[in-house]
Amino acid sequence: TTYGILQREASLREREWHCVILDEAQAIKNAITISSRASRVLRSKFRVAMTGTPIENHATDLWSIMEFLLPGYLGSLPRFKRLYGGGSKDHPDDGQTSALKRLISPFLLRRTKDQVLTELPEKTEEVILCEMSAAQKKAYKKYLESAEAAKAREDLQAGKKINYANILSVLTRLKQVCDHPRLPEVTGSKLKKLSAMDPWESGKWIAFDELLNEALGSNLKIVVFTQYLGMMDLIGLWLKEKQVGYVELRGDTPDRAARIKRYADDPETKVFLCSLLAGSLGIDLTAGSVCIHFDRWWNPARENQATDRLHRLGQTRGVQVFKGIPY
């Protein structure tokens, strides 16, 4: 509740720390969230924000982080948007970008992997084109011609108010079909439906099976990222049938550290099956050297963060990254 939030903020104001450090500072990119507001009321003599992706969506992400570091330095949020852009349709031009860069450069210490991790092995990325199966094409067409999609097209053409939630719903179903034609029917862990699903109805499965067998044959450990829990369940069932040792990580996984340790230490645990949102930050997966993005996230920065769970300090092998693209 608002009262509870204000109570917590009041208690935070009563204490003063010598230094407050925010790791993964992009977590406060939305200035109106509770965590972002709470970070700004912390009292300290020094403040440090660490992040590999200070801007994920638009320029206001940076404003929120700078407001934590130097309150008031970039002015109010409405003023910032007016001067440097900030909306989804309002991107800063070259002049605005240069001006903003000059303002923040005295407070920015940027280091790339090439500069500080010179011993880090090479990372290679490959996009694999996967033709959709007949079942996928049929399901894709069904959702593309659905009443929801037709309504969205009608509103766009007529210049009416756009129902973005409706459009996102259609796009999500289309993305799910690109993984498997029956994935939109699966919510949560409906194992009966999953066990009836044929993995080979997915055009991506041929490439996935080939990559997995090649990596296992070379005694390499694999990390598989997907954004859909239903897809995690389907892959997990298939790994069990193949008797391939694996662990999985979801948003509600309670024993994260134990599973990561098992993946790192157990030679029979070959696959780490991971929700992209749950596993893209704060974990170390350097035991793996093959990274497979079964599906693509909206924001490439989140994908890169996930890949860097493998390609980071402690990695001793070259990292191969594969991204499946349907057509």
Side-chain angles (χ1 to χ4, degrees), residues 16-29:
E16 182 172 356
W17 286 266
H18 181 71
C19 181
V20 174
I21 302 173
L22 296 189
D23 191 16
E24 305 292 359
Q26 72 277 1
I28 66 164
K29 64 179 182 292

Side-chain angles (χ1 to χ4, degrees), residues 180 183 186 188-191 194-195 197 199 205 208 212 216 223-226 228-250 259 262 270-275 294:
H180 193 283
L183 187 58
V186 179
S189 298
K190 295 187 177 179
L191 295 179
L194 284 167
S195 60
M197 289 169 63
W205 208 264
F208 178 64
L212 197 70
L216 293 173
V223 178
V224 182
F225 289 106
T226 175
Y228 302 117
L229 298 183
M231 205 65 221
M232 285 185 65
D233 290 334
L234 184 61
I235 295 172
L237 285 175
W238 185 68
L239 290 172
K240 286 180 182 177
E241 290 178 4
K242 290 175 67 72
Q243 297 184 327
V244 175
Y246 77 99
V247 290
E248 61 179 27
L249 179 67
R250 303 166 183 252
R259 298 191 183 206
R262 177 182 163 191
K270 300 293 188 180
V271 178
F272 194 93
L273 186 54
C274 192
S275 162
F294 199 90

